[in-house]
Every structure is written in C-alpha cells, then in structure tokens.
Amino acid sequence: MLENFEEIIKLAKGENDSQLNRMTQIEQDTFEMQVRAANIVRAGESLMKLVSDIKQYLILNDFPSVNEAITQNSKLFRTKQQELFEKFEM
C-alpha cells in the first residue's frame, strides 16, 4: 500500500522527462495512478476482511467464555427444575 501511495505522489508531481509527448505521458501517468489507487483500495479491503476473520475466529473460539455461560445456564436450569419438582411434590 505504501509503495503504491508513494508512486501516486511521484506521478502526480509530473516532473519526469521522457521520450513520449506530453499528452501521452499524462495519459500513461493517469492510468498508472488509477491502477495504483485500485491496488491500495484492494489491499485495504483485504486488510479489513482479515481483521473481520480474526475477530470472528476469536469470538467463535472463546471456549472458556462459552463454557462458563453454559455452566451458569445449566446451574440456573437445574435450580428451576428442582424448585418445580419440590413445588409439585407437596
């Protein structure tokens, strides 16, 4: 991403002397800037997807937290079950 950004800045300055005529050089520079900008966007999207995948992995693989929640719910339901059994046995 950094390399593409640096090249866009260099191309925007327009100080390159070349064998091409000025209009052809401008068109070529514009096209190259567009390609590099697209590469920056694609790299940014890839990074965002990677971050999203890492977050999803961490959430789905947070077993201690999931196990704790299951244990708490199990205790709560056992207590409720026991209360109902005692209520109907009387």
Side-chain angles (χ1 to χ4, degrees):
M1 286 177 67
L2 179 60
E3 180 182 328
N4 283 317
F5 182 74
E6 289 171 348
E7 288 299 318
I8 287 173
I9 299 301
K10 288 178 188 175
L11 290 170
K13 288 182 180 179
E15 297 175 0
N16 296 343
D17 293 331
S18 68
Q19 298 287 334
L20 300 173
N21 74 25
R22 181 114 174 107
M23 291 306 293
T24 305
Q25 184 65 44
I26 290 171
E27 288 176 16
Q28 181 179 348
D29 290 349
T30 301
F31 177 71
E32 188 174 343
M33 283 191 289
Q34 290 172 348
V35 169
R36 289 186 179 278
N39 287 340
I40 289 172
V41 170
R42 191 174 29 229
E45 289 173 347
S46 293
L47 286 174
M48 289 184 349
K49 181 171 180 351
L50 178 63
V51 168
S52 173
D53 290 346
I54 290 171
K55 285 180 180 179
Q56 183 178 12
Y57 174 81
L58 290 174
I59 290 169
L60 293 176
N61 293 306
D62 187 11
F63 295 119
S65 177
V66 171
N67 289 341
E68 183 180 327
I70 291 171
T71 303
Q72 288 176 352
N73 284 338
S74 296
K75 287 179 183 178
L76 175 68
F77 294 138
R78 278 193 218 120
T79 304
K80 294 289 184 187
Q81 182 183 27
Q82 190 63 32
E83 289 173 4
L84 288 174
F85 283 152
E86 291 174 1
K87 182 178 178 181
F88 289 112
E89 285 181 359
M90 293 184 168

